Amino acid sequence: MACVLSRQVRAVLPVGLVFASIGLTACVSDTLSTTNTQPQPQAVKAASQEVPDYDPVQRAEAVAEMREKAVNANSGELTNAYASQDGPNEPMLPAQSAARIQELQQAAERNESSAGANDAQAKQRQIRAMQEKARTHYGSAVQTIEN
């Protein structure tokens, strides 16, 4: 008799699970209806008198340039997306690079010479104090840990 009941339970159990999963799926799908996901209409603002955040003349020039390039799309002239106002983003020639480095070094030397001797001495004292602190730090840290 026990054998018959367990066979019936084994036969009914999958059917019960199927019905339970259908019931749960129906509950979930009901919460996913499209009524809550539709975009809500936004109130149309009246024409505001705010000043635009851009220069209208520059905008007009940019639009004209884009339209001209769109018309001449196959002209062979490529657009450089990384071009900036201060010049092209191309590597310098070695001579240009060396000249720029020398110019920056001379500017740094001028800035160093303009700093007073007292500033240099104060910096040297700070450096020596930090070096001394670094030398004794390990020993004092070990002593603090041991205590």
Side-chain angles (χ1 to χ4, degrees):
M1 184 79 169
C3 220
V4 173
L5 285 178
S6 64
R7 284 185 189 164
Q8 290 174 346
V9 170
R10 279 189 254 160
V12 173
L13 187 61
V15 175
L17 289 175
V18 169
F19 283 122
S21 65
I22 290 173
L24 291 175
T25 304
C27 292
V28 171
S29 66
D30 185 44
T31 61
L32 298 176
S33 65
T34 59
T35 56
N36 293 332
T37 59
Q38 294 297 322
Q40 300 298 319
Q42 298 292 325
V44 178
K45 293 182 180 179
S48 62
Q49 301 299 324
E50 294 179 15
V51 178
D53 291 341
Y54 56 85
D55 183 10
V57 174
Q58 286 182 341
R59 182 182 185 278
E61 290 173 357
V63 168
E65 181 183 341
M66 286 186 275
R67 288 183 177 154
E68 180 184 339
K69 286 185 179 184
V71 169
N72 300 325
N74 296 325
S75 67
E77 180 183 344
L78 300 177
T79 302
N80 184 0
Y82 301 104
S84 63
Q85 294 288 345
D86 59 345
N89 291 331
E90 297 173 1
M92 290 187 203
L93 297 174
Q96 292 172 329
S97 179
R100 180 74 174 142
I101 289 171
Q102 185 175 4
E103 178 184 323
L104 291 173
Q105 285 175 343
Q106 289 172 352
E109 288 171 3
R110 282 193 303 269
N111 290 339
E112 284 179 8
S113 65
S114 66
N118 294 335
D119 291 341
Q121 290 174 355
K123 285 184 181 182
Q124 288 297 322
R125 283 193 300 272
Q126 275 184 324
I127 290 170
R128 280 191 225 105
M130 290 298 288
Q131 287 173 339
E132 183 61 32
K133 190 174 187 179
R135 268 193 290 268
T136 60
H137 177 72
Y138 178 77
S140 63
V142 170
Q143 186 178 11
T144 303
I145 291 170
E146 288 176 351
N147 291 337

